Amino acid sequence: MTLSNADLAVLGLTVAVGGLYVFRGNLFNNGSTSSSRPLPGTKPTAGADPGVDPRDFVAKMKAAKKRLVIFYGSQTGTAEEYAIRLAKEAKSRFGLGSLVCDPEEYDFENLDELPEDCAAIFVMATYGEGEPTDNAVQLMQNLGD
């Protein structure tokens, strides 16, 4: 079986379009970060401010001058991706600096100390018959109390 010039052209075009689709994030991103990468400051780091309790999200928000905190409860990572997208949209559309947080890494006893000019958003997934994800169990218990 031989391939005609038309067959080779269609095959080449298909490979080129497939390659562009697969590498679209690297080729057409214009210097912005990929949506699958977390925003800077989303995870506690070893070099964090020594005067701030690493489990106190309100103090972290004040220290970093953030006005929005977004907590995600995710089993597979989908809610985390939505939280990151939401933070990027808040920054690009409204200029709001935000902190994206895993609820397992923070204490919620001081949730009522959130300043009035700040907001908290909860992006929560469920599994089974509406049970909270593993990283949101403690948060749901604290909110229920």
Side-chain angles (χ1 to χ4, degrees):
M1 180 173 121
T2 62
L3 296 175
S4 69
N5 287 342
D7 291 337
L8 287 175
V10 169
L11 182 61
L13 183 63
T14 303
V15 169
V17 169
L20 287 173
Y21 178 77
V22 169
F23 296 108
R24 70 189 179 279
N26 295 335
L27 297 173
F28 305 112
N29 216 2
N30 294 334
S32 65
T33 58
S34 170
S35 64
S36 63
R37 288 187 221 147
L39 292 173
T42 57
K43 301 285 182 181
T45 58
D49 187 356
V52 176
D53 178 12
R55 295 191 57 85
D56 184 1
F57 69 92
V58 175
K60 271 187 150 177
M61 285 179 68
K62 289 178 181 176
K65 296 182 176 143
K66 306 287 185 178
R67 295 186 50 213
L68 180 65
V69 60
I70 305 170
F71 292 100
Y72 61 88
S74 187
Q75 199 73 25
T76 61
T78 305
E80 180 180 6
E81 287 180 25
Y82 282 130
I84 291 169
R85 283 185 191 174
L86 189 59
K88 287 180 180 182
E89 286 293 317
K91 182 66 173 177
S92 67
R93 290 188 184 198
F94 307 109
L96 288 174
S98 55
L99 190 63
V100 179
C101 301
D102 182 344
E104 247 180 351
E105 298 175 356
Y106 296 92
D107 294 325
F108 291 94
E109 288 79 27
N110 59 349
L111 185 60
D112 59 342
E113 296 173 14
L114 193 66
E116 284 189 28
D117 64 339
C118 296
I121 298 175
F122 298 90
V123 180
M124 298 292 149
T126 61
Y127 72 97
E129 293 186 19
E131 291 91 15
T133 59
D134 292 342
N135 69 333
V137 170
Q138 186 64 42
L139 169 64
M140 296 307 292
Q141 289 174 353
N142 286 346
L143 290 176
D145 292 342

